[in-house]
Amino acid sequence: MGRWTQVSAPDLDGTLIRRGDSGYEDARADVVWNGVTPARFPGVIVRAASERDVVRAVDYAREQGLRLSVRSGGHNWSGAPLRDDGLLLDLSRLRECTLAPAAGPDPPTATVGPAVTGQELVAALTPHQLAFPVGHCPTVPVGGFLLSGGLGWNSRAWGASCADVQEVRVVTADGRTVDCTEASHPDLFWAARGAGPGFCGVVTGFRLALHPHPVSIMTTSCTFPLADTARVTEWAEPIARGLPPYVETAFVLMASGPATESVPPGPRISVVATAFASSPETARQALEPFTECPFGELEVAGEPPTPTSYAALHEGASAVWPPDHRYGADNLWAPESYQTQLTRLVDPLATAPSGKSLVLAPVQPVSEDPALLSNMAFAPLGASYLVCYAIWDDPADDPANGGWLREAMAAVDPRGGGRHYIAEADLEAGGPRAQSSYAPAAWDRLAEIKARWDPDDLFHSYLGP
């Protein structure tokens, strides 16, 4: 594929912006939710207003010899849609959200555009007492989230979010629009459930199976000094693994927690558990083990089991991952226990250059029921899982925080060669980050599907160093 040169624009309902045009830099920066905008510059950006625009943009890129990348919502930490030269197809205006009620034996479904956010989907479903395992951050759009597999709220019970994808509508490299299911174009359907930013097409819509809204959502937490990480994880991990699948438990390691009446600000570890239960009594009973810590005298803060909602959970996530900040992120699936892995991160967290940085480590973040992992490129790849986030706000601190993130990940993966989750992997770090986000057979099958559906390599593959 050649470099971009100025040619006539396709007929669009949306807009086309060339590099050098007024508004180009704003459009380029808007592609990434992260305040860090990578120094990569598409030759032209198409902001699609319709599926018709998507088809015309794909045809235009193919006819002009332009490589093509796709942005559905912009939450990818590495800014994978931003590539030099070529055409960037921005789907952020495709925000359809339509509910279809249950009809006889057929359960209710939702048809959503790729730019619909988790927060918007929750708002549409809750009045109908329906739910979906949306992403933990409210502003995460469903497009990239579902394409990557999706580790969402209550995924330990409901499975990876892509398990509830019943159909995807795809514009292919030759400009066709195809509806993909288990029975129709099953290879593209399989790839669309986990391939992430390397998917060889443009998904313009998803049909989603929905769940009954939990009768009770309840959360509890307990917080300790970070120095007690080994003791806290040794106590809490077996409890978390033994609880019903509708209880989601996570360790959160913070570079600096707030002061309390008894202790000054300092690094912390929290155990946060949320039950998505059939009754308040069931939820409260499931969370009770976390209220009976044998070394409770070390606790510096805590919240008893308290009713909450998806909207409130999203508000809490917004406070942890605030907008208008600069981010770096990387993750690891590993065979070791949470005690082993998180203890390795105590010293890096305690010396982080930003007090806002943190590590999130959900215990069993996704159901491992084979029925909920079938027919998808995504798979959990280890006994423990964690994501390390560098969070800061001053551009002058970019080198320090970027370096800290990679040093922290080296500490937790000292031999290298760890496995990753494509949605939050540091794709520009050393090593084959994309390839190590898949089982070997899945990686080979993804390559075969791309060769079949995109033989001329129109679509950019995975971002790398």
Side-chain angles (χ1 to χ4, degrees):
M1 297 289 176
R3 290 177 59 87
W4 166 83
T5 56
Q6 185 160 329
V7 293
S8 60
D11 177 25
L12 298 171
D13 301 317
T15 57
L16 180 147
I17 305 170
R18 294 186 172 92
R19 186 174 183 183
D21 286 352
S22 173
Y24 171 87
E25 185 54 31
D26 287 343
R28 189 184 76 88
D30 185 58
V31 167
V32 186
W33 183 83
N34 187 352
V36 177
T37 305
R40 299 189 293 269
F41 300 89
V44 60
I45 299 172
V46 171
R47 286 176 158 170
S50 62
E51 183 176 89
R52 171 184 173 276
D53 279 357
V54 173
V55 173
R56 295 203 170 194
V58 169
D59 288 343
Y60 177 75
R62 186 181 63 253
E63 292 163 2
Q64 302 301 328
L66 304 174
R67 298 292 297 279
L68 193 149
S69 62
V70 183
R71 176 257 184 137
S72 65
H75 232 284
N76 183 276
W77 303 111
S78 296
L82 276 183
R83 304 298 181 95
D84 283 323
D85 306 316
L87 186 150
L88 169 59
L89 180 53
D90 184 345
L91 308 182
S92 59
R93 293 172 64 183
L94 302 188
R95 309 178 77 90
E96 174 194 8
C97 184
T98 305
L99 303 187
D106 297 326
T109 61
T111 299
V112 298
V116 172
T117 67
Q119 186 175 38
E120 291 167 342
L121 187 53
V122 165
L125 297 180
T126 300
H128 301 277
Q129 292 302 303
L130 295 170
F132 185 81
V134 295
H136 289 79
C137 287
T139 53
V140 171
V142 300
F145 175 71
L146 292 173
L147 277 171
S148 297
L151 302 180
W153 289 111
N154 207 22
S155 282
R156 187 170 176 249
W158 290 340
S161 302
C162 70
D164 289 318
V165 173
Q166 296 183 334
E167 183 177 7
V168 291
R169 191 164 173 84
V170 180
V171 177
T172 61
D174 59 4
R176 287 184 291 155
T177 301
V178 296
D179 294 320
C180 307
T181 66
E182 290 186 346
S184 176
H185 308 299
D187 53 350
L188 274 183
F189 180 73
W190 175 87
R193 304 206 300 175
F199 183 64
C200 57
V202 186
V203 176
T204 60
F206 300 84
R207 180 161 54 85
L208 309 177
L210 304 175
H211 298 267
H213 195 288
V215 173
S216 175
I217 305 177
M218 197 169 288
T219 189
T220 188
S221 66
C222 46
T223 300
F224 302 86
L226 187 64
D228 294 312
T229 291
R231 180 181 292 188
V232 171
T233 49
E234 181 182 29
W235 162 66
E237 181 178 351
I239 292 175
R241 291 187 181 278
L243 290 177
Y246 57 78
V247 179
E248 177 177 312
T249 307
F251 297 108
V252 184
L253 281 65
M254 296 162 281
S256 181
T260 68
E261 292 182 358
S262 58
V263 296
R268 307 273 192 263
I269 178 171
S270 293
V271 183
V272 182
T274 306
F276 302 84
S278 58
S279 70
E281 295 76 18
T282 302
R284 191 171 286 105
Q285 183 178 9
L287 298 177
E288 187 175 355
F290 292 115
T291 68
E292 300 173 347
C293 179
F295 45 89
E297 71 279 1
L298 300 178
E299 189 175 342
V300 298
E303 179 185 37
T306 303
T308 187
S309 65
Y310 282 110
L313 291 172
H314 271 157
E315 288 177 9
S318 289
V320 175
W321 293 276
D324 303 320
H325 278 63
R326 306 175 77 79
Y327 290 88
D330 202 2
N331 64 66
L332 186 74
W333 292 101
E336 294 90 355
S337 69
Y338 285 89
Q339 181 183 22
T340 297
Q341 293 297 78
L342 297 184
T343 300
R344 289 171 172 168
L345 285 167
V346 169
D347 288 342
L349 258 293
T351 57
S354 170
K356 298 177 182 180
S357 295
L358 60 96
V359 171
L360 175 67
V363 180
Q364 290 182 313
V366 63
S367 172
E368 297 186 9
D369 181 347
L372 294 175
L373 289 169
S374 65
N375 201 21
M376 63 180 68
F378 167 83
L381 299 173
S384 62
Y385 176 74
L386 61 87
V387 195
C388 187
Y389 299 95
I391 307 173
W392 70 103
D393 52 18
D394 187 344
D397 295 333
D398 287 3
N401 284 278
W404 172 82
L405 173 65
R406 293 183 178 177
E407 290 171 5
M409 293 307 298
V412 81
D413 186 21
R415 296 193 180 106
R419 311 310 295 268
H420 304 279
Y421 170 45
I422 193 64
E424 297 193 290
D426 181 1
L427 296 175
E428 294 186 286
R433 276 296 198 279
Q435 182 174 349
S436 62
S437 297
Y438 298 94
W443 180 254
D444 291 343
R445 187 178 180 190
L446 285 170
E448 292 168 1
I449 292 169
K450 179 171 172 62
R452 183 180 310 126
W453 285 94
D454 185 17
D456 296 323
D457 203 25
L458 174 72
F459 292 102
H460 278 288
S461 189
Y462 297 95
L463 181 68

